[in-house]
Amino acid sequence: MAYEARYVFKPNPGADLAAVMKAMEQGAALWRKHGAQSPRLWAITAGELGNYVLSVQFENALAFAQVVDPLSADPEFRAWQARNAEAGHIAWVRSNHARELDLGG
């Protein structure tokens, strides 16, 4: 079973897009620090134009928990979150967690 976490955000009007990309690179590095193998950044090009998605895939929910629990407790991650809030470059739209279901085929 695959498990995916998706964090949807939108740059605020007038935001420095280079600063946004740098912040997402730093965020992905923090995920990797705690064992995530595949953080990816997506630009939405249809539907919710202007949104971006940081996605992270795992084998299952247990593998997710083994990464996200220490990540959430990491002072460096908390400082990264605080810097993003203070900079005001992005607004989080939503977070989605998806679990792949077997269709038996």
Side-chain angles (χ1 to χ4, degrees):
M1 164 182 35
Y3 188 86
E4 182 173 280
R6 297 180 190 140
Y7 304 95
V8 182
F9 69 93
K10 184 175 196 118
N12 288 324
D16 178 353
L17 194 54
V20 171
M21 292 300 115
K22 182 174 179 161
M24 290 306 110
E25 289 170 10
Q26 293 167 343
L30 288 164
W31 276 93
R32 281 189 212 95
K33 171 184 171 182
H34 291 283
Q37 302 297 313
S38 60
R40 293 188 172 124
L41 184 63
W42 302 83
I44 303 302
T45 57
E48 297 178 332
L49 294 173
N51 283 355
Y52 290 79
V53 177
L54 178 64
S55 69
V56 188
Q57 294 180 332
F58 300 90
E59 258 185 65
N60 52 45
L62 176 61
F64 170 74
Q66 290 172 331
V67 171
V68 79
D69 287 349
L71 173 72
S72 297
D74 184 340
E76 188 179 356
F77 181 70
R78 291 181 190 171
W80 174 79
Q81 289 177 308
R83 282 191 309 273
N84 286 325
E86 185 177 314
H89 292 300
I90 62 173
W92 288 104
V93 175
R94 74 179 149 277
S95 297
N96 298 327
H97 293 183
R99 181 172 53 95
E100 182 179 25
L101 302 174
D102 183 7
L103 292 174

